[in-house]
Amino acid sequence: MFDAPIDLSDLPGYQAAVDLRPARTVFLGRVSTKDLQDPRSSIAGQVAEASVLLEAGEQFTGYFWDVESGMLGLDERSQIGPEVYERLEVPVPRDGGLNDLLEAVERGERPGERVACERISRVAREMLASLTVEHYLESKGIAILCANEPQGGKTTGRLELRRNAQVRAEIVRHELVEQSMRGQRQHTANGYRHGPPLYGYIAVPDPAALPAANRFGGGRPKHRLALHPDRRRQATVARAFELRRDEALGDAELGAALAADLQAHPLAEGQKEWCGRNVRRMLANPKYAGYQVWNRRTRERANPICEWIWSSGPAHPAIVTLEEWHATQKVTEQLRERRRSGWDRVQAAADERGVPLTRTRESDEHVVLEVDGRQIVVPRGQLPPAAADELVDFLQASR
């Protein structure tokens, strides 16, 4: 029906050249985490499923797989060291992870002409990530094949199934995030701890919260915070809060004060010294007021206080009162504000109140400002914090 009207089989190029080289196919897999799924059975099962895409007598020429969340961005994938994978004892060889495969292709090594996986969500749960990988490999002449997709037939049918699968994986990704957030919020509301215990506390299992069994045995017990048996630690925390509130000591000054008497203020296990960073984190933590608090930070930034999730009531013994913690944060903010340029603070206060700030005269040593009809003499150059404080107070009282 679509043939030429005469026989053209004697012409060069009538038949496409046939590549007689055997096809090379690499396996690509992923399992969520070693806690949620058993990587030994899951990866081996994925290999078995993807093997249906091999031609007769063909073997995979490479195995690239990861044990990590499919919700990670591509730049965060394949970060676990090989020693961790050795301990997992997965009965499948590993030539690297997804990023190792992409880097090999980028170097021009082409581990294979085809990449086979069980389903497209094994590449990534986020649609943009899986589309990016798919597009990149296809631009290099490497096709991604999925065992759960029909082989042969029209491209449109296969493409429709794959795009639907990617959309479904994206929806499942968001659903898992929502369920995880809900669980974390309830976990916090019930007063259970997140992360390692902070200085002055230890973690103890809650006998009232029996671990739920799962298909791999008993679940992990829930923990609450309890006071550390070394009472000097609670005294150290209370003293740090007191020095900040009453004497307005900065982070470095507080660290030096604690380091001056390590007998009274012992270091935590693994802590090398008292430094400003240790103190700053301690004083900012509302858990010292006896409440569990979650969602204070994401990986990228600190969250606004209005987004924090608090326990429904006191969850463990407090070292400071909630009012003392609150007062400490106010002093910390004042100290942070004073680290700004004195002139910046004064100008910001003037702008906030709508008060004109005019330099009328100046000499080598002083500047005369006219503020709300009054003249004020201040030192020339960098404005000392004390002078800036007085000017800010005056501007805030104006109008």
Side-chain angles (χ1 to χ4, degrees):
M1 181 176 178
F2 300 108
D3 294 336
I6 62 174
D7 182 10
L8 303 178
S9 61
D10 59 334
L11 294 180
Y14 173 78
Q15 191 168 2
V18 178
D19 189 351
L20 300 178
R21 294 177 300 173
R24 296 184 306 157
T25 307
V26 298
F27 166 77
L28 178 62
R30 181 190 57 79
V31 61
S32 182
T33 68
K34 62 180 183 299
D35 293 326
L36 299 180
Q37 292 177 286
D38 185 352
R40 292 171 296 180
S41 61
S42 181
I43 294 297
Q46 291 177 45
V47 171
E49 293 287 341
S51 295
V52 302
L53 300 169
L54 298 174
E55 299 177 1
E58 183 187 1
Q59 299 290 327
F60 286 120
T61 57
Y63 297 85
F64 296 86
W65 50 271
D66 294 303
V67 178
E68 61 192 11
S69 171
M71 302 181 190
L72 296 175
L74 292 178
D75 57 339
E76 300 174 297
R77 295 284 298 274
S78 307
Q79 300 296 315
I80 301 176
E83 66 282 354
V84 176
Y85 285 101
E86 291 176 5
R87 291 198 297 269
L88 294 177
E89 299 180 349
V90 176
V92 174
R94 185 175 185 272
D95 299 296
L98 172 62
N99 278 349
D100 298 297
L101 171 62
L102 298 178
E103 289 171 4
V105 173
E106 181 68 21
R107 293 193 298 267
E109 297 177 6
R110 289 181 63 88
E113 287 75 35
R114 307 189 305 174
V115 173
C117 56
E118 178 200 23
R119 60 187 68 242
I120 196 65
S121 61
R122 296 299 183 182
V123 177
R125 285 199 177 275
E126 186 181 33
M127 188 174 183
L128 178 59
S130 64
L131 283 171
T132 300
V133 173
E134 181 183 355
H135 176 74
Y136 174 74
L137 291 177
E138 288 182 351
S139 72
K140 300 295 184 180
I142 302 173
I144 290 186
L145 307 179
C146 300
N148 70 329
E149 297 175 357
Q151 305 304 310
K154 293 185 177 180
T155 301
T156 52
R158 178 188 58 79
L159 196 59
E160 182 178 8
L161 287 172
R162 178 169 297 184
R163 295 297 175 260
N164 285 335
Q166 289 169 319
V167 170
R168 187 167 60 252
E170 177 89 354
I171 293 173
V172 169
R173 168 183 176 268
H174 284 280
E175 184 179 28
L176 291 173
V177 170
E178 289 171 353
Q179 291 175 346
S180 175
M181 292 288 287
R182 182 191 65 191
Q184 296 283 19
R185 288 194 295 267
Q186 192 59 45
H187 185 85
T188 303
N190 292 340
Y192 299 121
R193 75 174 179 97
H194 289 84
L198 56 163
Y199 182 87
Y201 289 98
I202 58 174
V204 295
D206 185 355
L210 298 177
N214 56 45
R215 56 189 171 138
F216 299 115
R220 292 175 294 183
K222 296 182 181 297
H223 290 77
R224 294 185 183 275
L225 293 178
L227 294 176
H228 196 282
D230 186 349
R231 300 302 182 188
R232 295 177 301 171
R233 299 194 181 201
Q234 290 96 58
T236 296
V237 173
R239 180 59 175 162
F241 274 88
E242 181 183 8
L243 289 174
R244 171 60 58 85
R245 289 194 315 274
D246 296 346
E247 301 185 24
L249 295 187
D251 297 338
E253 296 172 302
L254 265 173
L258 298 181
D261 189 357
L262 292 180
Q263 184 62 32
H265 309 300
L267 299 172
E269 293 77 7
Q271 183 180 345
K272 297 181 180 179
E273 60 178 346
W274 281 112
C275 62
R277 185 181 182 186
N278 301 138
V279 174
R280 181 168 61 253
R281 288 182 172 180
M282 174 191 294
L283 297 179
N285 202 319
K287 295 179 184 178
Y288 283 113
Y291 289 79
Q292 272 297 338
V293 183
W294 175 71
N295 201 41
R296 295 171 56 218
R297 293 193 61 86
T298 64
R299 283 183 296 179
E300 295 80 17
R301 63 179 177 85
N303 289 331
I305 294 177
C306 62
E307 296 180 7
W308 293 3
I309 306 298
W310 293 70
S311 58
S312 54
H316 49 263
I319 297 178
V320 297
T321 67
L322 196 54
E323 291 72 22
E324 289 172 335
W325 179 85
H326 178 268
T328 302
Q329 308 318 300
K330 301 290 285 185
V331 176
T332 298
E333 182 58 31
Q334 292 170 5
L335 291 173
R336 185 181 295 115
E337 184 69 15
R338 291 191 68 179
R339 286 198 295 269
R340 294 172 57 192
S341 163
W343 287 116
D344 288 345
R345 293 171 52 211
V346 170
Q347 189 62 59
D351 293 342
E352 180 181 353
R353 302 294 292 177
V355 178
L357 188 65
T358 307
R359 295 192 182 200
T360 58
R361 300 191 307 277
E362 55 185 287
S363 66
D364 292 340
E365 297 182 355
H366 297 90
V367 174
V368 179
L369 299 176
E370 184 173 325
V371 182
D372 201 22
R374 295 179 57 183
Q375 289 190 336
I376 301 175
V377 180
V378 296
R380 182 184 175 86
Q382 184 67 32
L383 192 62
D389 289 344
E390 290 188 20
L391 268 174
V392 168
D393 290 343
F394 173 75
L395 288 167
Q396 290 177 343
S398 300
R399 295 196 179 182

